[in-house]
Structure formats: structure tokens, C-alpha cells
Amino acid sequence: MRTAKEIIENYSGRPLRIMEVCGTHTHEIFRCGIRKILPPQIELISGPGCPVCVTPPGYIDSAVELALKHNVLITTFGDLIRVPGSEMSLAGARSKGAQIKPVYTPLDAVELAKSEPEREVVFLAVGFETTAPSACLAVKHAKSEGIKNFSLLTSNKTMPNAYRALGSCADAFLFPGHVHTIIGSGICRELQKNGVSGVIAGFQAEELLSALAVIAVKANSGAGAFFENCYRRVACDEGNPAAVKLINSIMEPCDAEWRGLGIIPGSGLKLNSEYADFDARIKFNVPECSGRPHAGCRCGEILKGVLKPEDCPLFGKVCTPLNPVGACMVSHEGSCSAYYQYGR
Ligand code: SF4
């Protein structure tokens, strides 16, 4: 019997373009050296699965407005601080006196609000189905404790409609195991019925090798579109009903703008009417706005798998992790960051 590594190394079937939907997959595949064993027929392309990367510049502009004009304390995961907005990043706003504080969880932001009741605290809620439950728990906790100076600026996103929008841009998706730990595999089976192939993959070297080997075998079996869950030890078919129930009790679907993909109907989450008091856009009257990415940045095409980071003329010259021009170089899950760190 051949190992997964041998199947991949000796692959000689039809050319395959495989989309690493998740930025963590991109990094782990590089870090584990898996790219070095890929034959020329297997090409890996990036996808829109880095939460910081797909957050559009208009959202950063809103956060900057909240920080500078409304004088709120912005709390956020650290990655977001250096993502450029149209005029400046949150780091730039901080140099102008804005209060920006990185936190480890949204509940830390609630505790900050509780400890300083005179101060408005806004948490920047970005991410996919994996992070929405913690934002929901924070809001639920704030409501139950009567904490009124805490709110969320939401830009939460959900993957199913993004998959549908991406459609058949690749021969197969590497579906992100952590997302499907929450939402289960129903959407993958629906995509398969519509001719879109993929496998749910974990994050360790053996799991990634297995997932790629399954794609290599199935894609050449002549059986048409396929789906396989290669991360069953964590992602079961029904997902995590408790987490989904929590999200659905506090948030509702909305249209959402994705960097590079534009507005995808029904691909976002916002607080429902019961929790509208915790919606920073409503509380501070900050409407959604369309921002402007840097004119030379190609993040949009990279997030669709149309270009690779090296195709961007700024890559590694003007744009580096120390001086990022676009979101994909900022985030530790970003493709440009991965290619810079491992691929040069
Ligand atoms: S290298 Fe920098 S400027 Fe180019 S696409 Fe990536 S993040 Fe944008």
C-alpha cells in the first residue's frame, strides 16, 4: 500500500488546481514542506479564508472613525491593527491619539467595559463561524450583566455563500476543518451535487498529506465531483449544533463585503434586533462605507486564486511584513505573509 506522500509525489494524472481556502492551511503546507514534494501537475492556489485579509478597507475606516471621532476604546485581535484602511490603519489612528487595545477574547473587552463604566468599549468582531460564537457569548454576557458601554462593530462572515460564489474556480477545495467543525459537512455535499469537489482537511502534516492524496486519487477516478471528510476526528457531519444555535440566537444573516470578492449576499452576520443596543454602527451612527485599497495591491486577485503573491509587483520590495501594503501581508494567516516567510 502506498503512503499519502507517495501518492502525491508520484501523481501523474490530469493537472489539478487545489484551493487552500484557509490561510492556516497555506501556512502549514509551506511550514511542513509539503509544497516541495508536489509534482508539476498539482498547483495550490490561495482562497478567501483568512478573516483579516477579507475584511474590506471600509470596515477599517469605520473602526478608525469610531476611535478618532467618537473617542471609543477599540479592542481587537492584534492582526487587525496594522491592516491598511483607505487613509490609515488603526496603528495610524493610535499615533493620532486613538485608544486601541489588543485583546485575546471578546470577553476580555467586556471585562474592560465593566471595569471602566464611563468609557465606551467597542470590540472589532471579524472572522468566520469559528469566532462568531465567542463574540455572541460576549454580547450575551454583557446583556446579562447590564453592561451598556460595550458594543460590537461586526464584520463576521460565513463560508457557505462564499463557496457558492467561488464555484468551480478550482478543481477541488481544501475545506477548512475548523469552520466545518462548527457548520458540519452539509454545504460540502450540496456543492458536490452541483459539481464542486473538495475535502475537509485538518491542520497537521499527516492530515494535509492525506487530504491532498484523497483529492489526487478521487480527481482521477472518473467518478465526477467528490467530497470526503478527512478531518472526522474533529469535524463531524452535523457540526456543532450548540455553537450554531448560539450564533442564530444572537446574530442574523446579512449581505457582506469581502475584499476581492465584493458583496456576497447572505454571507455576513450582524446582531439581531434583540441585541441591537450592542451594535456599534447603530449606537454611534456609523454607516457602512466603501473603502479604497492601495492602488497597487493585488490582494483581491490573490484571495480569488487568480494571482499568486509573487505576481504582485510590490511583493517583497515595497510590501513586506514589516511594511505591509495590503491585508494579505499583515495577517499571520495571509498568503503574502506565507509566501514571504517560506516561499522565497
Ligand atoms: S504583496 Fe502586499 S501589496 Fe501585493 S498583494 Fe500582497 S499584500 Fe497586497
Side-chain angles (χ1 to χ4, degrees), residues 305-328:
V306 175
L307 293 181
K308 297 232 169 76
E310 303 105 325
D311 299 324
C312 171
L314 307 185
F315 177 77
K317 302 180 186 105
V318 178
C319 182
T320 65
L322 274 180
N323 181 32
V325 173
C328 297

Side-chain angles (χ1 to χ4, degrees), residues 74-122:
I74 295 286
T75 56
T76 174
F77 297 138
D79 278 12
L80 214 53
I81 293 177
R82 293 198 307 144
V83 173
S86 301
E87 304 293 336
M88 70 180 85
S89 64
L90 287 164
R94 184 155 60 184
S95 71
K96 292 179 180 297
Q99 297 293 301
I100 318 286
K101 189 171 177 59
V103 290
Y104 288 111
T105 77
L107 280 171
D108 292 345
V110 177
E111 290 307 312
L112 271 172
K114 190 175 176 181
S115 65
E116 297 188 55
E118 305 305 318
R119 194 176 203 187
E120 286 291 341
V121 176
V122 173

Side-chain angles (χ1 to χ4, degrees), residues 63 207 284:
E207 292 167 335
F284 299 100

Side-chain angles (χ1 to χ4, degrees), residues 21-24 27 47-61 63 75-85 89-91 102-103 123-131 153-159 178-179 257-261 293 297 299-300 302-303 321 324-337:
V21 175
C22 171
T24 305
H27 274 256
C50 158
V52 169
C53 304
V54 295
T55 299
Y59 177 82
I60 302 295
D61 297 346
T75 56
T76 174
F77 297 138
D79 278 12
L80 214 53
I81 293 177
R82 293 198 307 144
V83 173
S89 64
L90 287 164
V103 290
F123 177 73
L124 303 185
V126 304
F128 301 109
E129 291 91 337
T130 42
T131 50
L153 184 67
T154 56
S155 186
N156 297 88
K157 294 186 169 56
T158 53
M159 289 309 300
H178 46 10
V179 166
E257 183 184 354
W258 298 56
R259 189 187 296 263
L261 302 182
C297 176
C299 277
I302 289 166
L303 290 165
V325 173
C328 297
M329 190 61 94
V330 174
S331 170
H332 69 278
E333 288 186 46
S335 294
C336 297
S337 161

Side-chain angles (χ1 to χ4, degrees), residues 15-19 41-45 169-173 304-306 308:
L16 290 177
R17 275 166 58 88
I18 302 172
M19 178 173 275
Q41 300 97 313
I42 296 183
E43 181 188 10
L44 297 179
I45 58 175
C169 66
D171 296 299
F173 287 123
K304 288 185 286 195
V306 175
K308 297 232 169 76

